Amino acid sequence: MRLVTLARDRVNHLLFASVELLPTEMPVPPDPTDGGWWDNFGDDRLCVSRTALPLADALAWYEALKQGQAAVPGRAFVITASALGAEPDYDGFVVHEQPLPFSPSWHGRPRLHRLVPMAALAEPVQELRDGVVDVDAHGRARQWLLDHVHFDLLAYDDWLGAGVLIAPNPLLRGFGARIVDRNVTPETLELGGTPRRGADVTSLRMAVEEVRAGAPAWRAEGSPNKLGRYRAPARSRVAMVREELFCPARGVLDRQPPAHFFRSVSITPSVVADSRARYVGPPSRAPDAGARTVHVRPVPPRLAEPPATPLRALERLLEARAERQGAYRPADAPQSPAGVRLLEHNREETVKWICELIAGARSHVLFVDPYLDADDLQQFATATQYQGVAIRGLINPRPRRHRRVDPDGERFGDLMLKKIEAFRDPAQEFGEIDIRVSRGRRLHDRFLQIDDVIWHAGHSFNMVGGGEISLMTRVARPAELAQALAETFAEAEPFETWWANRPPPIWSLRHEAGHQLRRLAKWIERQRADQTRGGADD
């Protein structure tokens, strides 16, 4: 039994409790020194204990916790918890499909009975969870719990202040299915696992059910032999099955979700000699960033699709329906990072993270930013690591933007034209380079589209990750937005045409004075930076 409590003002508040039933072959772990571990964090004391109890005593303690009358085992300290409700509300268990944060690998898919908090947690527990009183103590307490409980308890609201009864499979070590002979049709499936020492498995019942396009097909059920194996003849070539193991006395012991069989593995080697080095200089706004080398790889060839079958066609229709409803497509989801990123006070790390996103582009990258310039292309577009990736930009320059100049006196548009021309050099291994200016539909937000994935950015690419808080968020349903961006891009004017036909600047003494003062400020800032670097070198 594992128990985690928070003590404040001589009151023990429940943080987490688990009662784990060990199979007879598993040795009982020794009790820790002094019964457990404890440490003080501000006004609170966190305590973690581990106790080995006989089965009857452990179940009695769990029942007492359910009634709100439990105490620390071996001590007279009463545990205070919010009202707990049983789930399920009968003498039985549930089998979770998702892995549990506190369950070791040898459990497999254990059965659970849990006690769920039915009211608000006590104020000290809420303060510890939210960290609203002492941020430093909250961080240290969270790390201490992670070290002693082995999972981030404060990150799981469904387990904080709760209790759980864990019952691993007492008869078999693991349970699964495999195809015995793949060379014959119909095929034969074998279900089973390794029996535990001294376990009689002949009373068990094993069932297998084939799932085709989301619906059950045939089902077979039987008892295993003394080695824990049961063979079921399949009706045809098996695509996806779900397995179930149950005992007449104990009920369901294991239930697997539907899963495909891996019939073959395709490995595509990547020859390093085929990659070419792209040497990228630092952007002019950050000359100290240093040059970098990007190895550009050829796009891997697409494998030939297997012959069409009615089952495969139906599965594609189901996937298309799920995509319209907003589900991630299987081909994209594993390669996608977390959907939200908070960016502040770390420009270097932000640039690195965005470049890692862009590096996976296979087809095209679209930058949507009114203030996109040549430095942004230099910094981000060169991160692509596959040959033939198209680089597109959709900008919406504000009035007087065409008058902006860099420290060397070159104008914004001239720098952009030079960068476009440099990127179109075949040695750079890019695809189409197309930067356009939106003339009709105006752009307000910033977006980054990488193939079929779209990210929304709060800041322009030349400022993101600076001194202001901003977010980059992955768009969950990008189809409608991708269509709008594609239409706007098609209606936009090529940058070369816009720059050649730009309106003449309207001279204004106020704007001219402001422009010159900004140039002077930048010059003074560069001089100070040079003096600082010179002093550091000395």
Side-chain angles (χ1 to χ4, degrees):
M1 189 190 75
R2 290 177 172 83
L3 178 63
V4 187
T5 59
L6 180 150
R8 178 188 290 186
D9 298 332
R10 306 181 67 84
V11 177
N12 289 296
H13 300 278
L14 176 66
L15 291 182
F16 178 71
S18 65
V19 176
E20 178 184 344
L21 306 182
L22 297 179
T24 54
E25 69 174 6
M26 298 293 294
V28 177
D31 292 341
T33 306
D34 299 330
W37 305 267
W38 60 269
D39 205 344
N40 294 326
F41 300 93
D43 298 333
D44 303 327
R45 170 176 289 189
L46 297 181
C47 305
V48 176
S49 64
R50 187 183 65 204
T51 309
L53 297 174
L55 176 61
D57 294 344
L59 294 180
W61 187 93
Y62 186 77
E63 289 295 327
L65 178 64
K66 184 191 304 184
Q67 303 300 326
Q69 301 173 357
V72 177
R75 300 177 184 270
F77 300 144
V78 177
I79 298 175
T80 301
S82 63
L84 299 175
E87 172 53 38
D89 58 352
Y90 51 81
D91 295 332
F93 297 94
V94 294
V95 180
H96 278 242
E97 293 185 0
Q98 300 298 326
L100 303 169
F102 50 80
S103 181
S105 59
W106 73 266
H107 279 173
R109 302 173 61 82
R111 298 163 296 156
L112 300 180
H113 185 281
R114 58 192 297 176
L115 302 178
V116 183
M118 303 299 292
L121 300 176
E123 182 179 352
V125 180
Q126 293 187 29
E127 291 178 359
L128 177 65
R129 178 195 62 194
D130 302 333
V132 296
V133 177
D134 190 334
V135 176
D136 180 64
H138 171 265
R140 292 186 293 107
R142 188 167 188 168
Q143 184 60 44
W144 188 87
L145 287 173
L146 179 62
D147 295 338
H148 291 81
V149 189
H150 308 299
F151 75 100
D152 192 358
L153 175 60
L154 300 183
Y156 291 88
D157 287 0
D158 53 335
W159 294 110
L160 186 62
V164 59
L165 178 62
I166 310 171
N169 190 334
L171 302 178
L172 292 180
R173 302 179 201 144
F175 176 65
R178 69 185 183 94
I179 301 176
V180 179
D181 191 353
R182 301 175 184 270
N183 299 322
V184 297
T185 301
E187 299 171 328
T188 301
L189 300 182
E190 183 179 81
L191 282 72
T194 303
R196 298 191 185 276
R197 288 197 301 268
D200 182 10
V201 299
T202 55
S203 63
L204 291 175
R205 298 290 291 176
M206 297 181 179
V208 59
E209 183 178 64
E210 185 183 14
V211 179
R212 302 180 70 87
W218 56 266
R219 177 184 174 90
E221 181 179 323
S223 298
N225 56 23
K226 294 183 179 180
L227 299 178
R229 301 288 191 271
Y230 164 66
R231 292 193 174 187
R235 304 295 178 84
S236 62
R237 184 179 175 89
V238 180
M240 176 188 293
V241 298
R242 68 159 63 95
E243 308 96 65
E244 185 175 87
L245 174 68
F246 54 95
C247 173
R250 299 175 177 85
V252 176
L253 295 181
D254 200 350
R255 179 184 290 117
Q256 301 284 351
H260 285 279
F261 279 110
F262 289 96
R263 296 181 176 274
S264 62
V265 178
S266 176
I267 300 177
T268 303
S270 177
V271 182
V272 179
D274 289 345
S275 63
R276 301 182 183 180
R278 177 193 295 153
Y279 300 100
V280 182
S284 59
R285 72 166 67 97
D288 296 337
R292 71 181 194 274
T293 302
V294 179
H295 294 280
V296 184
R297 298 170 289 176
V299 178
R302 292 187 177 182
L303 299 177
E305 293 189 1
T309 63
L311 174 61
R312 187 167 292 113
L314 181 57
E315 289 176 343
R316 288 176 180 172
L317 293 176
L318 293 176
E319 291 174 359
R321 184 181 66 180
E323 181 181 351
R324 289 197 305 273
Q325 295 174 350
Y328 288 145
R329 286 178 294 176
D332 296 337
Q335 305 296 329
S336 302
V340 178
R341 181 91 172 197
L342 178 65
L343 309 170
E344 181 190 16
H345 290 308
N346 199 335
R347 171 69 179 178
E348 181 179 356
E349 188 66 25
T350 299
V351 171
K352 179 181 177 182
W353 178 74
I354 297 177
C355 288
E356 289 175 354
L357 292 179
I358 297 174
R362 303 296 183 94
S363 174
H364 66 276
V365 177
L366 171 63
F367 298 92
V368 180
D369 184 353
Y371 301 102
L372 189 76
D373 59 19
D375 265 0
D376 297 326
L377 293 179
Q378 176 75 9
Q379 201 157 38
F380 296 110
T382 53
T384 56
Q385 294 186 0
Y386 286 95
Q387 296 176 1
V389 176
I391 303 299
R392 297 167 184 162
L394 188 57
I395 66 178
N396 187 199
R398 298 299 186 257
R400 302 182 182 277
R401 181 74 190 279
H402 55 274
R403 297 182 63 245
R404 288 188 55 190
V405 297
D406 72 338
D408 296 330
E410 293 191 80
R411 288 178 293 184
F412 148 77
D414 294 330
L415 292 173
M416 181 67 81
L417 290 179
K418 290 182 179 179
K419 188 59 59 180
I420 293 174
E421 183 179 358
F423 279 7
R424 287 174 176 167
D425 184 353
Q428 295 294 322
E429 303 284 353
F430 286 113
E432 177 190 24
I433 306 297
D434 194 354
I435 308 299
R436 299 192 181 187
V437 178
S438 175
R439 304 290 287 173
R441 304 171 70 176
R442 298 183 63 84
L443 305 171
H444 180 274
D445 290 4
R446 287 79 168 166
F447 298 98
L448 172 62
Q449 181 174 355
I450 304 170
D451 296 336
D452 295 331
V453 178
I454 300 180
W455 288 80
H456 174 266
H459 263 93
S460 292
F461 292 100
N462 57 8
M463 296 294 292
V464 65
E468 297 177 344
I469 298 177
S470 65
L471 287 175
M472 281 192 67
T473 308
R474 174 171 172 160
V475 179
R477 301 184 180 183
E480 183 178 0
L481 177 59
Q483 180 66 24
L485 294 180
E487 294 175 356
T488 307
F489 186 84
E491 298 170 358
E493 183 179 17
F495 183 83
E496 296 89 332
T497 305
W498 175 83
W499 182 247
N501 301 327
R502 65 188 183 279
I506 302 175
W507 190 88
S508 168
L509 178 60
R510 180 172 62 87
H511 287 93
E512 184 66 26
H515 174 65
Q516 297 299 333
L517 287 174
R518 286 191 294 271
R519 292 189 62 188
L520 178 61
K522 291 182 179 179
W523 181 84
I524 295 174
E525 184 179 354
R526 289 199 309 273
Q527 295 300 319
R528 289 178 178 176
D530 293 341
Q531 292 176 2
T532 302
R533 286 196 299 269
D537 294 340
D538 294 341

